[in-house]
Amino acid sequence: MYLHIGNNVILNKKDIIFILDYENLKENNIFKEFYTNIDKNNITDISEGKPKSIIITKENDILKGYISNISSTTLGKRKF
């Protein structure tokens, strides 16, 4: 099964680790540390300047992140 996360990006659901709300994460110290340590080449911003959610995946043993303009609530409803 697949999940459309916006801007013509579709992910395999089995690769998704978590989907989180962007606004709640901006001030989270644990996420700041995670974001500081992740390879920025593996983060794709498809939010068109309106970030609402962050999707973290593990594809071929590589952690990747996607910043989407679709809310985590909406993506969560699509996921299940």
Side-chain angles (χ1 to χ4, degrees):
M1 301 292 286
Y2 295 91
L3 176 66
H4 175 261
I5 63 167
N7 203 20
N8 296 319
V9 176
I10 298 172
L11 303 174
N12 192 323
K13 288 184 182 181
K14 70 176 181 67
D15 294 336
I16 297 172
I17 298 172
F18 52 84
I19 300 171
L20 299 167
D21 180 67
Y22 183 83
E23 285 297 317
N24 288 332
L25 287 177
K26 285 193 315 189
E27 305 303 320
N28 183 296
N29 290 331
I30 294 170
F31 183 76
K32 284 180 185 178
E33 182 178 338
F34 170 78
Y35 191 77
T36 300
N37 292 316
I38 194 169
D39 183 352
K40 298 303 182 281
N41 293 322
N42 291 333
I43 302 261
T44 304
D45 187 346
I46 59 168
S47 70
E48 300 174 345
K50 301 173 188 170
K52 292 185 180 178
S53 63
I54 297 175
I55 302 96
I56 301 296
T57 66
K58 189 170 186 179
E59 302 170 35
N60 301 319
D61 291 327
I62 298 172
L63 283 179
K64 294 185 179 183
Y66 297 87
I67 301 172
S68 175
N69 62 347
I70 299 174
S71 75
S72 57
T73 303
T74 299
L75 291 173
K77 289 177 184 177
R78 290 181 186 178
K79 188 172 188 279
F80 298 101

